[in-house]
């Protein structure tokens, strides 16, 4: 194994806050059971937060961001993994408390790993990544709480982003009537191609919401946005419907009343992909490799970039300008 590797590093010390690509000794890898030659990583909103001084998610510096990675096992002291195995990792402390996937080499605990399932390539797993996994977890929770295609339309907020675009693709494939909500009018054609039956603006989604309740319109909502829009869409959920909330790009506060919950039996479902239990995690990756595989999103919603363009990709995601998924190819 080579003696050094490249990584996108974030530093904060006496010299100030700075980011950039560095060459690091293999000997300086963090503790872990499995050493991986990273083939692909991806760019998520949390990675963007890790790259700015006031992002408030990094535990200590220096750190290599990247909450997702997929690659080949180089060395392992965990009997479940052998050199040559293809593995993926999303969540846990990756890229937050432990060096992450924006590097040629990574070392992680074996308990964080999932073998790349048959039906997906390493590149596809990262095109899905935390965003697609969060979308799948949102859909799984909605179905577990009674959602079915005949119950009514499903709204996807932030539908041109990573979680949203994957949710549109998965739900469309499963036969749901998907209403994609986006602030990017130019994304309408792409969202319909992903599986959306309708595309509406944010303004349309929250219109007519005066008072604590509005007319019942939607069976469920996939919400990776949060903030004020969440309180508004709660007013329009059908009796017994649900909102699966997984993000806060729109803010971390919700303005609502108890009425949707006590008069219509609406469920507000919190979605956490970081510490998702391994049995459910493995099950969902198998579904994403099979019946739930978001082929349309994988075919047209992915931008592949080299490590040298990570800063550009992080700026894009922080600005809310990312359309679909940005995958970093560490093999170039």
């Amino acid at each position: 194994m080579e003696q050094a590797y490249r990584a996108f590093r974030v530093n904060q010390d006496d010299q100030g806050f700075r980011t950039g690509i560095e060459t690091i000794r293999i000997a300086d890898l963090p503790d872990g059971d499995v050493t991986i030659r990273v083939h692909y990583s991806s760019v998520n909103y949390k990675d963007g937060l890790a790259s700015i001084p006031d992002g408030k998610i990094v535990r200590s510096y220096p750190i290599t961001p990247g909450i997702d990675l997929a690659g080949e096992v180089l060395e392992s002291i965990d009997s479940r993994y052998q050199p040559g195995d293809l593995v993926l990792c999303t969540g846990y402390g990756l890229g937050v408390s432990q060096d992450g996937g924006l590097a040629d080499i990574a070392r992680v605990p074996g308990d964080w790993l999932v073998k790349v399932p048959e039906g997906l390539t390493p590149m596809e797993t990262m095109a899905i990544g935390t965003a697609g996994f969060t979308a799948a977890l949102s859909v799984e929770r909605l179905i577990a709480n009674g959602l079915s295609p005949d119950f009514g339309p499903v709204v996807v907020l932030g539908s041109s982003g990573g979680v949203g675009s994957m949710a549109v693709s998965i739900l469309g494939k499963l036969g749901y009537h998907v209403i994609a909500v986006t602030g990017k009018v130019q994304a309408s054609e792409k969202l319909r191609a992903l599986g959306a039956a309708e595309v509406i603006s944010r303004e349309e989604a929250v219109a007519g919401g005066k008072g604590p309740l509005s007319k019942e319109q939607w069976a469920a909502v996939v919400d990776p946005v949060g903030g004020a829009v969440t309180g508004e869409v709660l007013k329009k959920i059908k009796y017994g419907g649900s909102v699966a909330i997984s993000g806060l790009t729109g803010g971390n506060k919700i303005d609502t009343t108890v009425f949707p919950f006590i008069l219509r039996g609406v469920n507000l479902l919190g979605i956490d992909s970081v510490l998702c239990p391994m049995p459910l995690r493995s099950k969902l990756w198998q579904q994403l490799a099979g019946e739930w595989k978001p082929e349309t999103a994988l075919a047209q919603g992915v931008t592949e970039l080299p490590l040298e363009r990570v800063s550009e990709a992080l700026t894009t995601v922080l600005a809310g300008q990312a359309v679909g998924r940005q995958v970093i190819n560490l093999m170039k």
Side-chain angles (χ1 to χ4, degrees):
M1 188 167 64
E2 58 259 58
Q3 298 305 306
Y5 66 99
R6 297 179 310 151
F8 178 82
R9 297 287 273 179
V10 179
N11 289 273
Q12 188 170 44
D13 53 27
D14 294 341
Q15 300 176 45
F17 187 90
R18 61 197 186 280
T19 65
I21 297 173
E22 300 178 12
T23 299
I24 304 172
R25 299 185 309 155
I26 294 290
D28 293 333
L29 281 166
D31 293 336
D33 306 321
V34 185
T35 304
I36 300 161
R37 172 67 173 96
V38 182
H39 291 181
Y40 297 93
S41 185
S42 64
V43 177
N44 299 276
Y45 187 71
K46 187 180 280 189
D47 301 319
L49 293 177
S51 71
I52 57 177
D54 56 351
K56 299 180 181 179
I57 65 163
V58 172
R59 310 284 173 80
S60 63
Y61 297 95
I63 194 163
T64 300
I67 62 171
D68 297 342
L69 67 80
E72 179 182 350
V73 173
L74 294 176
E75 296 178 351
S76 176
I77 58 173
D78 186 319
S79 61
R80 293 171 292 181
Y81 305 101
Q82 305 300 320
D85 286 349
L86 295 177
V87 295
L88 67 93
C89 182
T90 65
Y92 297 102
L94 196 68
V96 176
S97 60
Q98 175 139 336
D99 285 346
L102 295 177
D104 296 329
I105 306 288
R107 182 177 289 152
V108 300
D111 286 343
W112 292 4
L113 294 174
V114 174
K115 288 187 178 179
V116 173
E118 186 176 346
L120 287 173
T121 66
M123 192 278 186
E124 287 175 328
T125 66
M126 290 298 96
I128 294 171
T130 285
F133 181 74
T134 301
L137 187 55
S138 300
V139 173
E140 191 274 340
R141 288 289 304 280
L142 290 172
I143 292 173
N145 279 270
L147 181 65
S148 61
D150 60 0
F151 190 38
V154 180
V155 167
V156 178
L157 301 177
S159 58
S160 57
V163 176
S165 60
M166 287 288 170
V168 169
S169 187
I170 293 168
L171 287 164
K173 184 175 182 180
L174 295 178
Y176 288 88
H177 183 98
V178 180
I179 301 174
V181 178
T182 180
K184 303 180 178 71
V185 178
Q186 69 275 18
S188 295
E189 186 176 335
K190 180 172 286 189
L191 289 167
R192 291 184 185 279
L194 287 177
E198 303 176 50
V199 181
I200 64 174
S201 67
R202 295 169 185 162
E203 292 73 23
E204 290 176 274
V206 301
K210 294 181 181 180
L213 290 173
S214 300
K215 179 182 177 181
E216 297 180 44
Q217 297 183 47
W218 307 318
V221 176
V222 174
D223 180 5
V225 177
V229 68
T230 302
E232 292 301 317
V233 299
L234 278 167
K235 300 176 182 180
K236 301 182 180 183
I237 306 301
K238 295 174 66 174
Y239 190 95
S242 303
V243 175
I245 185 167
S246 61
L248 45 64
T249 57
N252 60 9
K253 293 183 179 180
I254 299 172
D255 184 10
T256 188
T257 68
V258 300
F259 293 115
F261 311 107
I262 66 172
L263 297 182
R264 291 182 178 166
V266 170
N267 306 294
L268 183 59
L269 308 173
I271 304 300
D272 170 47
S273 63
V274 175
L275 297 177
C276 176
M278 187 54 74
L280 178 56
R281 185 182 294 265
S282 297
K283 171 191 170 185
L284 287 176
W285 276 109
Q286 289 296 329
Q287 288 177 301
L288 285 165
E291 182 185 3
W292 289 20
K293 186 173 181 178
E295 284 103 345
T296 50
L298 293 174
Q300 58 186 292
V302 180
T303 302
E304 189 174 327
L305 301 167
L307 184 63
E308 286 75 15
R309 293 181 63 186
V310 163
S311 291
E312 172 189 332
L314 293 168
T315 299
T316 298
V317 77
L318 280 173
Q321 297 303 311
V323 176
R325 297 282 287 145
Q326 299 181 96
V327 173
I328 305 302
N329 185 341
L330 280 304
M331 302 292 285
K332 292 185 176 180

